[in-house]
Amino acid sequence: NAGVTQTPKFQVLKTGQSMTLQCAQDMNHNSMYWYRQDPGMGLRLIYYSASEGTTDKGEVPNGYNVSRLNKREFSLRLESAAPSQTSVYFCASSALTDYEQYFGPGTRLTVT
Amino acid sequence: EDKVVQSPLSLVVHEGDTVTLNCSYEVTNFRSLLWYKQEKKAPTFLFMLTSSGIEKKSGRLSSILDKKELFSILNITATQTGDSAVYLCAVDCGKSTFGDGTTLTVKP
């Protein structure tokens, strides 16, 4: 079992460029999440998907879109990157929304 | 607005000391409180608490929840340098809200 995988691990974008972060899990989990973590801070929820076919906004959704492609995959898209989106992005999954979450290794994104 | 506050923000102790980390919360529709450990990479799960007064224990780590006073504590006894990490508290209320974490440094 690979658990939760994320690609890419690192990315540098120029302001205004777009990109999609990919996430996949092989644990047959129903719920998936995208977080960002800024230096010295905890995780802030961007979007989550409680189950296949549903997505909901978290605490900081502006500037992002998501797609729950199937039960395994949950992607995060930045349509027009801004320097304020420089952060480490974590994808996570859980069996249900109130169960423990398993995190991917993270994507370090820098927007210049 | 849901809020999770952890204290202290950082803590430096020596090996063998006992530490207590605090997590207080104000959320609607509380379902569970979770503790995670983060060592310069992805967080890893420690405990999930749903009921007041029932201690969860794993080795030198233990945690308890007080749903009346809206807080939880994480205790680590006989600390080791390998316990150095950021400890994150999260509350699930339909979606997860994380605190900013407590950075624990254990010196030899």
Side-chain angles (χ1 to χ4, degrees), chain A residues 33 35 37 40-43 45 48 57-59 90 97-101 103-105, chain B residues 1 31-32 34 36 38 41-43 45 48 88 92 94-101:
Chain A
Y33 313 81
Y35 294 93
Q37 187 174 37
M41 296 183 70
L43 299 160
L45 184 65
Y48 68 106
K57 293 179 181 179
E59 185 184 348
F90 288 102
T97 56
D98 54 347
Y99 279 48
E100 66 267 27
Q101 295 179 21
F103 287 82
Chain B
E1 184 185 327
R31 288 156 73 162
S32 60
L34 301 101
Y36 294 87
Q38 186 174 26
K41 47 186 183 197
F45 171 75
M48 182 169 78
L88 296 166
D92 183 272
K95 56 185 180 181
S96 295
T97 300
F98 278 76
D100 284 341

Side-chain angles (χ1 to χ4, degrees), chain A residues 69-100:
Chain A
L69 304 167
N70 48 55
K71 193 171 186 180
R72 289 187 63 246
E73 298 171 289
F74 189 38
S75 63
L76 178 73
R77 182 157 179 85
L78 286 71
E79 290 291 350
S80 179
S84 61
Q85 294 178 304
T86 294
S87 190
V88 178
Y89 290 84
F90 288 102
C91 176
S93 71
S94 63
L96 296 170
T97 56
D98 54 347
Y99 279 48
E100 66 267 27

Side-chain angles (χ1 to χ4, degrees), chain B residues 30-89:
Chain B
F30 174 91
R31 288 156 73 162
S32 60
L33 185 145
L34 301 101
W35 285 96
Y36 294 87
K37 179 181 182 182
Q38 186 174 26
E39 299 173 89
K40 296 197 183 301
K41 47 186 183 197
T44 53
F45 171 75
L46 293 174
F47 297 111
M48 182 169 78
L49 303 152
T50 55
S51 302
S52 274
I54 299 175
E55 186 183 52
K56 292 278 183 97
K57 207 166 162 60
S58 175
R60 297 175 293 103
L61 278 66
S62 63
S63 184
I64 197 159
L65 174 66
D66 185 327
K67 289 169 76 173
K68 184 179 173 192
E69 301 297 329
L70 307 183
F71 77 92
S72 173
I73 60 172
L74 175 68
N75 278 322
I76 309 175
T77 59
T79 51
Q80 302 172 356
T81 54
D83 295 327
S84 295
V86 176
Y87 290 84
L88 296 166
C89 171

Side-chain angles (χ1 to χ4, degrees), chain B residues 8 21 43:
Chain B
L21 310 183

Side-chain angles (χ1 to χ4, degrees), chain A residues 4-16:
Chain A
V4 180
T5 56
Q6 290 182 236
T7 55
K9 285 190 168 47
F10 301 93
Q11 183 72 50
V12 179
L13 293 178
K14 293 190 190 312
T15 296

